[in-house]
Amino acid sequence: MTWRTFLSATQLLLDRFDRQLQRDSGILLTYYEMLVRLSEAPGRSLRMSELAESSLSSRSRVSHAVARMEERGWIRREACPTDGRGYLAVLTDEGVAALAAAAPGHVETVRSTLFDRLSVEQQQQLREISTVLLTHLQDTGSVSPVPPAPASPAPGRP
């Protein structure tokens, strides 16, 4: 019962977030998360492999997503200066603007759909449970380490 409730709630939350972003900004949730990762990276750039690891996506999926975001002018690819075989995904000014335009609606949806439904104590419990699960998955090699979020989120981000 707990598993099915958790699974259903998680799927419905992610679907709600994705639909809101697509409806209001034309951005898929997976693209939004990649744009956020790039916006938080030094120089607004990451190696394609790092972007894949940090967004928990395959390299081919990230390559496809970056190609779509390149078409929109949000990201550009650059040869990696330290490794001729690798490429960097670089967030453009247009990408920053798209992210900034999408963030308020996304933040409001996350707040109203998730956090406003939980007490402060439940929010803390959710964070603690999520941290335990993430740490376990990273420690057992199930996923690559996910870079921590900045100490204080940028304005307008959950």
Side-chain angles (χ1 to χ4, degrees):
M1 178 79 160
T2 301
W3 165 244
R4 292 187 58 111
T5 302
F6 169 79
L7 183 61
S8 295
T10 303
Q11 289 173 331
L12 289 170
L13 281 169
L14 294 176
D15 179 67
R16 172 88 44 100
F17 302 152
D18 191 50
R19 283 187 293 116
Q20 177 275 319
L21 280 166
Q22 287 185 58
R23 180 187 68 237
D24 296 348
S25 306
I27 300 176
L28 296 169
L29 180 60
T30 55
Y31 293 7
Y32 182 87
E33 287 301 318
M34 289 179 197
L35 294 172
V36 168
R37 299 267 185 224
L38 289 169
S39 75
E40 295 171 346
R44 298 189 324 206
S45 69
L46 289 170
R47 288 181 58 101
M48 294 287 287
S49 58
E50 292 173 323
L51 184 57
E53 288 177 11
S54 70
S55 63
L56 303 176
S57 295
S58 69
R59 289 182 185 194
S60 63
R61 186 175 190 192
V62 167
S63 182
H64 177 77
V66 167
R68 297 297 159 259
M69 289 187 279
E70 274 184 305
E71 291 170 2
R72 295 179 174 195
W74 298 343
I75 292 178
R76 71 176 179 275
R77 288 184 222 220
E78 294 179 357
C80 181
T82 59
D83 176 6
R85 299 174 302 162
Y87 282 89
L88 299 173
V90 181
L91 183 64
T92 66
D93 291 341
E94 292 84 0
V96 171
L99 184 59
H106 177 63
V107 168
E108 177 53 36
T109 300
V110 170
R111 283 188 183 140
S112 66
T113 308
L114 176 61
F115 292 106
D116 288 352
R117 304 290 172 236
L118 302 175
S119 68
V120 172
E121 181 180 325
Q122 289 171 321
Q123 290 177 33
Q124 181 61 35
Q125 291 168 344
L126 178 61
R127 182 182 182 107
E128 290 170 2
I129 291 166
S130 298
T131 299
V132 166
L133 294 173
L134 181 60
T135 299
H136 168 71
L137 292 168
Q138 290 174 336
D139 289 349
T140 59
S142 299
V143 296
S144 300
V146 177
S152 57
R157 293 214 192 111

